[in-house]
Amino acid sequence: MAVTINDVARAAGISKSTVSQYLNGRYEFMSLETRQRIKQVIEELDYRPNALARSLKQKKTHTIAAVVSSILNPFITNTIRGAEDYCKETGFNLILCNADDDPKQELAYIQTLQSKQIDGIIISTTGRNNEALRTMNRTGTPVVLFSRHVPEIEVDAVTVDNRAGIGLGIRHLMAHGHRNIAFFVLPYSDSPVTPRRERAQAFREYMQEYGLPFHEEWLVECTNEEEVLAGQLDRLLQGPGPHPTAVFGANDLMTMSLVRLLKNRRLRIPQDMAVLGFDDWEWAPYLSTPITVVAQPSYEMGRRATERLIQRIRNQLLGVPPTLEYYQPTLIVRRSCGESGE
Amino acid sequence: MAVTINDVARAAGISKSTVSQYLNGRYEFMSLETRQRIKQVIEELDYRPNALARSLKQKKTHTIAAVVSSILNPFITNTIRGAEDYCKETGFNLILCNADDDPKQELAYIQTLQSKQIDGIIISTTGRNNEALRTMNRTGTPVVLFSRHVPEIEVDAVTVDNRAGIGLGIRHLMAHGHRNIAFFVLPYSDSPVTPRRERAQAFREYMQEYGLPFHEEWLVECTNEEEVLAGQLDRLLQGPGPHPTAVFGANDLMTMSLVRLLKNRRLRIPQDMAVLGFDDWEWAPYLSTPITVVAQPSYEMGRRATERLIQRIRNQLLGVPPTLEYYQPTLIVRRSCGESGE
DNA sequence: CTTGATAGATAAATCGGTTTTGTTCACGGT
DNA sequence: ACCGTGAACAAAACCGATTTATCTATCAAG
């Protein structure tokens, strides 16, 4: 059906070896005449080389994949933009796979990608497929983790400095007179992945370091469903003794849910409750009260992860051991923590 | 390096043809004994078939692609979810390509996808690569358009009923006492793609049909940059004569920009200006005034486009001519058009 | 005892390229 | 006249699978 290299060779009255040389730009092996002849025939027949056949022989596909935890997550999509741009510049193809934070889906993708012989992957992993990732990396398909780091896998990783981010956030709240701060984080106790744990731990440490009141019950580990969150909030606000005047969400999803809950409860931000988020997201500025956040340089991180991956693929990092790279978060001051952010 | 079918055959003391039969589940051609032997060897060696080789011979990759105009667009990401789910159910692989509304990028993707021999694509096209899409479809790689339809290409398409959506919106505004309505739409005059044009045209027609005041200057065709939009709004609000009391955004991007602008101008929604949007987006409910919108059934549309594509791939639609399928939009009433939506 | 199925495999061709190795021929030097 | 050399191309092997044709026992039927 489709036109192949043989068709081209036949039409040009030449062997397919020569056509192949032409395709790969090795013009020194042919006369100017044949070169032009081939060019012409290719155009006439609208010939397009079959990448499968080529990759099969060459053992490289010039394609990498980004396996992401969720395409609905603004941090992730920005990260992808960085990856795309870097790929464009280096001539690699990028394919996107959305694992939806489901380890099974993730594993399925890892496997089909491998069988499709992609050259490498960047991944924000669930942390549940470490063995597969480790093997993949060891057997010659480089892996770079981004956003989430898993200590057990010895591969390159690009993350944000979570501790620093928490410190940044707490100092900002302190500067606005807040001392009673509650921290909301999605369940991490059974999660093999670092960010949540690191952020929670950093919160614990910084609160003590800065001499702020820390109660273990104010470090709330729960899902972000409305009812669950509502229950937790009620617990924090009822009874005697001091109540939190600020809530700090450990990631965008959690912060968004907190905002929604406060809105439903008719609690004003920041007068009744200050809100600080980790991760920036597109519409944080458009809410009734624009939300102040600790932001990650997501675009750069995606770019950098891809850069490292492609360096590995090109064997430019042969002696270099796997490295964990930290990016510094920044504070984006809007209005959810008090007035001076006007 | 990697283990191949030959390694398996050798280790099992058997020919590779038989191993291949095993891989394809044609067990009737071998004894139970060899079958178990092969199974064992495959596990021991951790053998994974090379999909490139397989696809090269079989001339199908069991992979389809979704080429999208922007992964930042909530409508699109929802659409992708639908596509993913349908693929999962039917055992197809889905790869995502983000063309970022750039015809060049789009064409680049179309071409590499073709050279990678994917089985088909669904696409929300820029409308600038019709020739490529037409050829692709004609030469055996089915194409299904979604969200945007291009009349010149004779392929299946799944879109929303734009006319109906505009009607829905205008009637809702009328019900809230609005008669002076301005419509904001991104530039479409030189765009080969239908939705913007259809929506603008429908607005024009419905306004007249319902006996509402229609001025061509109130159908604003402009980009959604802050300054541009501000200029247009000023134009509408100054001078004598009636001013619009409601703005209708032709898509999510435009509506979002309108909301931002009104917010910056300290115009209250809906008291000073009612807002109605086309396309729903995740955070429309969380704004200071939750925005009322005409929503498309995005998930279903993505699913349906994929279903049609896979039917074409499987040749189950041989006699059936390319069809344009319309989905009905729905009105999601929130608070931006007046009180009763409480 | 021959013939014909049949089960259980295998060898060889094939997919569409790339790469290695050969071949042919012209030409320059001696 | 002979050799060596390089330019220009071709033949063949190869990549890792699938598929088709072929082979070899074994056993039943005639």
Side-chain angles (χ1 to χ4, degrees):
Chain A
M1 196 81 286
V3 21
T4 76
I5 199 174
N6 280 305
D7 302 327
V8 174
R10 201 174 311 122
I14 222 165
S15 84
K16 68 172 179 172
S17 334
T18 305
V19 179
S20 174
Q21 301 287 15
Y22 173 89
L23 291 176
N24 292 313
R26 286 191 283 272
Y27 302 132
E28 61 278 29
F29 299 130
M30 68 198 74
S31 64
L32 188 59
E33 195 190 1
T34 29
R35 177 173 163 183
Q36 287 167 340
R37 178 112 189 77
I38 294 174
K39 182 168 191 290
Q40 191 195 343
V41 170
I42 284 180
E43 273 166 18
E44 277 169 11
L45 300 185
D46 191 29
Y47 165 68
R48 283 160 202 294
N50 181 324
L52 296 183
R54 164 192 287 242
S55 297
L56 176 58
K57 175 71 192 194
Q58 290 193 151
K59 287 168 178 284
K60 41 190 133 133
T61 50
H62 263 284
T63 302
I64 68 172
V67 179
V68 305
S69 48
S70 164
I71 40 165
L72 300 181
N73 183 325
F75 166 74
I76 296 288
T77 44
N78 273 315
T79 250
I80 293 172
R81 300 291 287 275
E84 276 171 349
D85 284 357
Y86 193 80
C87 282
K88 216 178 298 175
E89 292 167 24
T90 51
F92 270 76
N93 297 127
L94 177 69
I95 80 185
L96 237 56
C97 302
N98 179 27
D100 244 335
D101 252 324
D102 171 2
K104 284 213 176 68
Q105 261 289 100
E106 179 177 84
L107 184 59
Y109 272 127
I110 293 175
Q111 290 177 341
T112 71
L113 288 169
Q114 255 183 301
S115 76
K116 282 177 179 301
Q117 315 297 116
I118 46 121
D119 294 344
I121 71 172
I122 65 173
I123 181 170
S124 66
T125 178
T126 62
R128 303 268 174 212
N129 292 305
N130 300 346
E131 189 50 40
L133 291 173
R134 200 181 298 127
T135 316
M136 187 170 186
N137 190 68
R138 195 156 27 75
T139 57
T141 308
V143 172
V144 174
L145 307 182
F146 71 93
S147 168
R148 302 168 172 182
H149 172 227
V150 186
E152 299 94 77
I153 325 181
E154 296 203 334
V155 299
D156 293 302
V158 174
T159 68
V160 77
D161 186 340
N162 286 302
R163 268 191 65 78
I166 296 294
L168 222 50
I170 293 183
R171 285 194 298 276
H172 179 73
L173 285 170
M174 285 171 73
H176 285 75
H178 294 284
R179 298 181 44 84
N180 297 317
I181 308 171
F183 190 76
F184 283 75
V185 55
L186 292 169
Y188 62 88
S189 299
D190 65 337
S191 162
V193 125
T194 56
R196 294 175 195 173
R197 171 172 295 111
E198 281 180 14
R199 292 175 195 175
Q201 184 55 25
F203 178 75
R204 202 175 272 126
E205 290 170 15
Y206 271 118
M207 287 298 277
Q208 285 161 3
E209 183 178 331
Y210 292 146
L212 299 178
F214 174 74
H215 322 281
E216 197 61 45
E217 319 85 68
W218 286 16
L219 199 169
V220 186
E221 180 183 349
C222 65
T223 66
N224 69 322
E225 292 142 45
E226 177 103 25
E227 321 81 62
V228 178
L229 223 46
Q232 295 291 340
L233 187 70
D234 288 340
R235 186 174 58 71
L236 290 176
L237 294 182
Q238 73 196 7
H243 298 152
T245 61
V247 291
F248 191 167
N251 75 348
D252 45 13
L253 212 60
M254 183 55 93
T255 312
M256 281 156 44
S257 303
L258 284 169
V259 169
R260 174 172 35 186
L261 177 63
L262 295 174
K263 191 176 171 69
N264 289 348
R265 289 295 171 92
R266 313 272 175 210
L267 288 170
R268 292 164 305 162
I269 302 171
Q271 298 93 324
D272 301 326
M273 184 68 80
V275 174
L276 178 63
F278 208 111
D279 290 336
D280 194 20
W281 68 99
E282 194 193 10
W283 46 282
Y286 300 129
L287 293 168
S288 10
T289 307
I291 304 296
T292 295
V293 297
V294 175
Q296 311 185 37
S298 46
Y299 178 89
E300 286 72 24
M301 288 167 65
R303 229 188 121 81
R304 177 62 180 146
T306 310
E307 185 182 9
R308 260 203 114 58
L309 181 69
I310 291 181
Q311 287 176 332
R312 288 279 178 207
I313 291 172
R314 292 182 168 159
N315 286 324
Q316 293 168 345
L317 255 32
L318 271 180
V320 187
T323 338
L324 174 56
E325 264 182 42
Y326 286 109
Y327 271 72
Q328 286 306 313
T330 55
L331 190 71
I332 301 185
V333 179
R334 291 195 268 252
R335 307 188 49 226
S336 65
C337 298
E339 282 317 306
S340 71
E342 184 68 280
Chain B
M1 196 83 290
V3 21
T4 76
I5 199 175
N6 281 304
D7 301 328
V8 174
R10 202 173 313 124
I14 221 163
S15 84
K16 67 172 179 173
S17 331
T18 305
V19 179
S20 176
Q21 301 287 16
Y22 172 88
L23 292 177
N24 291 54
R26 287 191 283 272
Y27 303 132
E28 60 277 30
F29 299 132
M30 70 198 73
S31 63
L32 187 59
E33 196 189 1
T34 33
R35 176 172 164 185
Q36 287 167 339
R37 178 112 189 77
I38 295 174
K39 181 168 192 288
Q40 191 194 342
V41 170
I42 285 181
E43 274 166 16
E44 277 168 11
L45 300 184
D46 191 28
Y47 165 68
R48 282 161 203 294
N50 182 325
L52 296 183
R54 163 191 290 239
S55 298
L56 175 58
K57 176 70 198 203
Q58 291 192 153
K59 287 165 177 287
K60 43 190 134 137
T61 51
H62 262 285
T63 302
I64 68 172
V67 179
V68 305
S69 47
S70 163
I71 40 165
L72 300 182
N73 183 323
F75 167 73
I76 297 287
T77 44
N78 274 317
T79 249
I80 293 172
R81 300 290 288 275
E84 276 172 348
D85 285 356
Y86 193 80
C87 282
K88 215 177 299 176
E89 290 167 24
T90 49
F92 270 77
N93 297 125
L94 177 69
I95 80 185
L96 237 57
C97 301
N98 178 28
D100 243 335
D101 251 325
D102 170 3
K104 285 215 176 68
Q105 261 289 103
E106 179 177 84
L107 184 60
Y109 271 126
I110 292 174
Q111 290 176 341
T112 71
L113 288 169
Q114 254 182 302
S115 76
K116 282 177 181 299
Q117 316 294 120
I118 47 122
D119 295 343
I121 71 171
I122 64 173
I123 182 169
S124 66
T125 178
T126 63
R128 303 269 175 210
N129 291 304
N130 300 346
E131 188 50 39
L133 291 173
R134 199 181 299 123
T135 316
M136 189 169 184
N137 191 67
R138 195 157 26 76
T139 57
T141 308
V143 172
V144 175
L145 307 182
F146 71 92
S147 167
R148 301 167 174 183
H149 173 227
V150 186
E152 299 94 80
I153 325 182
E154 297 203 333
V155 300
D156 293 302
V158 174
T159 68
V160 77
D161 186 338
N162 286 301
R163 269 192 63 79
I166 296 294
L168 223 48
I170 294 182
R171 286 194 297 278
H172 180 73
L173 285 169
M174 287 172 73
H176 284 76
H178 295 283
R179 296 181 48 82
N180 297 318
I181 306 172
F183 190 76
F184 284 75
V185 56
L186 292 170
Y188 63 88
S189 299
D190 65 337
S191 164
V193 125
T194 55
R196 294 176 195 172
R197 170 172 294 110
E198 281 181 13
R199 291 175 197 176
Q201 184 54 25
F203 177 76
R204 200 174 275 124
E205 291 171 14
Y206 271 119
M207 287 297 279
Q208 287 161 1
E209 181 176 334
Y210 293 146
L212 299 178
F214 174 74
H215 322 282
E216 197 62 45
E217 320 85 65
W218 286 15
L219 200 170
V220 186
E221 180 183 350
C222 66
T223 66
N224 68 323
E225 291 143 44
E226 176 102 27
E227 321 80 64
V228 179
L229 222 47
Q232 294 292 339
L233 186 71
D234 288 340
R235 184 174 59 71
L236 290 176
L237 294 183
Q238 74 195 7
H243 298 153
T245 61
V247 291
F248 191 168
N251 74 350
D252 44 11
L253 212 59
M254 183 55 94
T255 313
M256 280 156 43
S257 303
L258 284 169
V259 170
R260 177 171 35 187
L261 177 63
L262 295 175
K263 190 176 172 66
N264 289 347
R265 290 294 170 92
R266 314 269 172 210
L267 289 171
R268 291 164 304 161
I269 303 171
Q271 297 92 325
D272 302 326
M273 184 68 80
V275 173
L276 177 63
F278 209 112
D279 290 335
D280 194 21
W281 68 97
E282 195 194 10
W283 48 280
Y286 300 130
L287 293 168
S288 9
T289 307
I291 304 296
T292 294
V293 297
V294 175
Q296 309 185 38
S298 47
Y299 179 91
E300 286 72 25
M301 287 167 66
R303 230 190 120 80
R304 177 63 181 147
T306 310
E307 185 181 8
R308 259 201 113 65
L309 181 69
I310 290 180
Q311 287 175 334
R312 287 280 178 207
I313 290 173
R314 292 186 168 151
N315 287 324
Q316 293 169 345
L317 255 33
L318 271 179
V320 186
T323 339
L324 175 55
E325 265 182 41
Y326 286 109
Y327 271 72
Q328 285 307 312
T330 55
L331 190 70
I332 301 185
V333 179
R334 290 197 269 251
R335 308 189 49 226
S336 65
C337 296
E339 282 318 304
S340 72
E342 180 67 278

